[in-house]
Amino acid sequence: MPAKKEYLTTPGQRSLKISAGILGGFVLTTCLHLLLAVITPFREQILLSATFTFFLCWVALMILAFLARNGWKIWGIYLLSSVVFSGIIYFAR
């Protein structure tokens, strides 16, 4: 039994969600871990434990990208968050 047409997305939106989940989630996860390493005094511990938490955070951001209705919005959120985190990292150093 096929799915209802109202729940299916267009191929363009699907590709935006996939790319936002994989690429945008990776960039945002990297910026988040670097931000935590810069603003906390536990720099080495955060970078060592990032091997485990990186994958968990990345998977959570991939799932979040597919829950969104619009791929452009999730790309905007991921890129804006990455730029904000990068700015904080830049000015904190």
Side-chain angles (χ1 to χ4, degrees):
M1 179 174 211
K4 291 176 112 179
K5 294 290 184 187
E6 64 184 278
Y7 297 119
L8 298 177
T9 59
T10 63
Q13 284 294 319
R14 193 175 315 124
S15 65
L16 281 171
K17 289 178 186 181
I18 291 170
S19 63
I22 294 172
L23 297 175
F26 184 82
V27 170
L28 184 58
T29 302
T30 304
C31 289
L32 176 67
H33 280 84
L34 290 176
L35 176 69
L36 289 174
V38 167
I39 64 172
T40 61
F42 310 111
R43 188 167 288 155
E44 292 86 14
Q45 288 85 1
I46 288 176
L47 292 176
L48 286 174
S49 67
T51 57
F52 303 108
T53 59
F54 192 92
F55 182 72
L56 295 173
C57 185
W58 189 26
V59 168
L61 289 171
M62 275 193 233
I63 293 170
L64 186 67
F66 282 101
L67 292 177
R69 289 194 181 267
N70 191 347
W72 290 110
K73 284 185 183 179
I74 202 70
W75 258 115
I77 291 169
Y78 284 3
L79 288 178
L80 183 66
S81 300
S82 298
V83 167
V84 168
F85 290 166
S86 298
I88 294 171
I89 292 168
Y90 179 76
F91 289 118
R93 299 192 96 205

